[in-house]
Amino acid sequence: MGIGESIGDGHVTVVDSPRAPGARGSDFARLARRIADAGLLDRRPGYYAARATLVAGLFGGAWALAAVTGDSWWQLGVAALLAVAFGQVTLLAHDLAHGQVFRSRRSSRIAGLVAGNLLTGLSYGWWMDKHTRHHANPNHEERDPDVAPDILVWSRRQAGSSTGVARFVGRWQAYLFFPLLTLEGLNLRVSSLRALRRPSMKDRRLEALLLIAHNVAYFGAVFALLPPGKALAFLAVHQACFGVYLGCAFAPNHKGMPVLTADDELDFLRRQVLTSRNVSGGRLTTAALGGLNYQIEHHLFPSMPTPNLRVARPIVREHCAALGVDYAECGLLESWRQALSHLHAVGEPLRARR
């Protein structure tokens, strides 16, 4: 198998990679054995019990603060705090979907439905299906739903064939990216409701009931606490901040990294590592991003509990260095610079066609 190298439009080519003398199994299999032998795939129930308690406290505390604040424009600050709480619940649901918390799929699904559908109004089943396809083929033009050219374009090839909204927005998408993120919370809610029309969705009626219960409680609470004008302002600030927070947690990990096509034949290790970027930082960064700052390790071992990702990092980095596989890591601001620079570069053909 070969090493992927970034070229041209962020695509990947394959060159020969000699295997170390005496090595057994694939490059990923040998890494996986080291990770398993180090016990890094073992569950961390104490960590998740503490994290769930803190997140529940933040979530409940934000709503309690809203009730105490009452009819006041200070509620807009509470709305921003509640957006952080919603984001933390969503990040916890992400770990549940990957089986990091419970061994039982049933337990993971029940907790995920509560965290996703009931608490945040996002369909757990829809998001899990979408995210699973992303993990299988990250940054793949045809297979990763996260780089589908719906509004933004992620490669020059997509720019060349774009039409409608994507063709218009793609010209200046680097400048519009953060403003568009303010609509992401609303987009996720709408996509969750639209997904209920799919006959293939598992437990569709249960998901629908939980989403209805959330929306009745969510909108009912806001309009019970505030007059219509302030209630609408609260909802706008909350959903805008929620969308930006989720974007800041998920987007730095892949945007601006190589985009794959059907012509790029990479093994599992290279497909995951070369399309992912770690975000360096301390414990505050890890807490804010829910551990997704260790994106390379997470993509290689999706079921690895969040606190073990930091421990796995030097093992993975050493393994990649021995293979000559690029291991991308930078600070949060630099990750955004790279992502926005990429978006601006791939939108160039659209600007040229004006």
Side-chain angles (χ1 to χ4, degrees), residues 40 100 290-292 294-295 297-299 301 304-314:
L40 297 179
Q100 297 176 20
L292 296 180
Y294 297 107
Q295 189 69 190
E297 288 72 28
H298 170 60
H299 259 259
F301 304 99
M304 181 183 291
T306 293
N308 292 351
L309 296 171
R310 176 182 61 84
V311 184
R313 174 184 169 275

Side-chain angles (χ1 to χ4, degrees), residues 242-300:
F242 179 47
V244 171
Y245 184 27
L246 287 186
C248 289
F250 286 93
N253 307 317
H254 298 284
K255 308 314 179 191
M257 297 303 292
V259 178
L260 306 181
T261 69
D263 296 329
D264 299 310
E265 298 182 4
L266 300 175
D267 65 354
F268 177 80
L269 183 142
R270 290 166 178 80
R271 185 166 68 249
Q272 302 298 336
V273 173
L274 293 171
T275 58
S276 302
R277 177 197 295 114
N278 277 13
V279 177
S280 58
R283 294 183 178 180
L284 181 59
T285 299
T286 300
L289 302 185
L292 296 180
N293 47 316
Y294 297 107
Q295 189 69 190
I296 293 174
E297 288 72 28
H298 170 60
H299 259 259
L300 288 171

Side-chain angles (χ1 to χ4, degrees), residues 28-29 58 63 74 103 114 142 144 154-155 158 164 173 200 222 278 304 316 338 347:
F28 174 72
L58 176 62
W63 278 115
W74 286 107
R103 293 185 182 277
V114 171
E142 294 88 12
D144 183 357
W154 306 101
S155 70
Q158 287 183 346
Q173 58 185 9
S200 60
V222 173
N278 277 13
M304 181 183 291
V316 173
Q338 293 181 21

Side-chain angles (χ1 to χ4, degrees), residues 79-345:
L81 176 64
L82 188 63
V84 175
F86 268 51
Q88 284 292 317
V89 173
T90 303
L91 290 170
L92 187 58
H94 166 271
D95 288 10
L96 287 163
H98 281 297
Q100 297 176 20
V101 184
F102 301 110
R103 293 185 182 277
S104 164
R105 289 187 179 182
R106 183 172 182 272
S107 298
S108 297
R109 180 165 181 79
I110 292 173
L113 288 169
V114 171
N117 294 53
L118 188 60
L119 297 185
T120 62
L122 305 183
S123 168
Y124 178 77
W126 163 76
W127 182 86
M128 187 174 180
D129 172 71
K130 173 177 174 289
H131 197 62
T132 298
R133 288 185 283 127
H134 157 71
H135 264 264
N137 292 281
N139 269 24
H140 194 290
E141 282 190 353
E142 294 88 12
R143 301 170 187 169
D144 183 357
D146 289 351
V147 292
D150 297 324
I151 296 179
L152 304 177
V153 295
W154 306 101
S155 70
R156 286 176 177 265
R157 189 170 81 165
Q158 287 183 346
S161 60
S162 64
T163 58
V165 176
R167 182 173 182 176
F168 174 77
V169 173
R171 296 172 181 173
W172 309 108
Q173 58 185 9
Y175 300 99
L176 296 173
F177 187 73
F178 278 102
L180 286 172
L181 281 183
T182 63
L183 301 175
E184 182 61 14
L186 179 61
N187 175 55
L188 293 173
R189 282 176 168 270
V190 172
S191 297
S192 295
L193 293 173
R194 291 175 61 186
L196 295 175
R197 297 182 299 180
R198 301 176 187 171
S200 60
M201 174 176 278
K202 183 179 180 181
D203 299 326
R204 185 165 52 149
R205 290 184 180 178
L206 175 59
E207 291 232 8
L209 287 173
L210 292 174
L211 286 176
I212 291 171
H214 165 82
N215 283 299
V216 169
Y218 174 68
F219 290 104
V222 173
F223 280 94
L225 291 170
L226 297 168
K230 289 178 182 175
L232 291 174
F234 182 100
L235 294 172
V237 170
H238 176 237
Q239 290 302 312
C241 291
F242 179 47
V244 171
Y245 184 27
L246 287 186
C248 289
F250 286 93
N253 307 317
H254 298 284
K255 308 314 179 191
M257 297 303 292
V259 178
L260 306 181
T261 69
D263 296 329
D264 299 310
E265 298 182 4
L266 300 175
D267 65 354
F268 177 80
L269 183 142
R270 290 166 178 80
R271 185 166 68 249
Q272 302 298 336
V273 173
L274 293 171
T275 58
S276 302
R277 177 197 295 114
N278 277 13
V279 177
S280 58
R283 294 183 178 180
L284 181 59
T285 299
T286 300
L289 302 185
L292 296 180
N293 47 316
Y294 297 107
Q295 189 69 190
I296 293 174
E297 288 72 28
H298 170 60
H299 259 259
L300 288 171
F301 304 99
S303 64
M304 181 183 291
T306 293
N308 292 351
L309 296 171
R310 176 182 61 84
V311 184
R313 174 184 169 275
I315 299 175
V316 173
R317 187 163 188 167
E318 175 192 328
H319 189 75
C320 289
L323 295 171
V325 177
D326 289 342
Y327 181 103
E329 185 173 60
C330 63
L332 184 60
L333 294 180
E334 174 60 18
S335 72
W336 277 113
R337 187 198 67 78
Q338 293 181 21
L340 295 176
S341 296
H342 172 79
L343 286 173
H344 191 66

